[in-house]
Amino acid sequence: MIAAGIFILLFLLLASMLKRRAWISVILFFISMALTILLFLHHATETLDLNF
C-alpha cells in the first residue's frame, strides 16, 4: 500500500515536471524521497528470525 502511494507520487512528480510546475515538483520530490527513506528504514531494521 505504501509502495503504491510512493509510485503514484513519483508519477505525479513526473507529470508536474512535464508541465513545468517548479514548486509542485520540488514539494512532490521531497515528499516522495522522505517516504522512500521511511519505507527503507522500516524494512532495513526488521529483525530476521534466522536459526543457526
Side-chain angles (χ1 to χ4, degrees), residues 34-46:
L35 289 177
T36 304
I37 290 170
L38 287 174
L39 184 65
F40 172 76
L41 289 175
H42 169 71
H43 285 289
T45 58
E46 282 184 5

Side-chain angles (χ1 to χ4, degrees), residues 1-49:
M1 231 19 214
I2 295 173
I6 292 172
F7 284 123
I8 290 171
L9 276 174
L10 290 173
F11 177 74
L12 292 174
L13 172 63
L14 176 65
S16 68
M17 289 172 66
L18 291 175
K19 292 196 180 269
R20 302 191 191 277
R21 309 270 182 178
W23 286 106
I24 296 173
S25 298
V26 171
I27 291 169
L28 287 175
F29 172 76
F30 283 115
I31 291 172
S32 62
M33 185 174 65
L35 289 177
T36 304
I37 290 170
L38 287 174
L39 184 65
F40 172 76
L41 289 175
H42 169 71
H43 285 289
T45 58
E46 282 184 5
T47 59
L48 298 176
D49 294 327

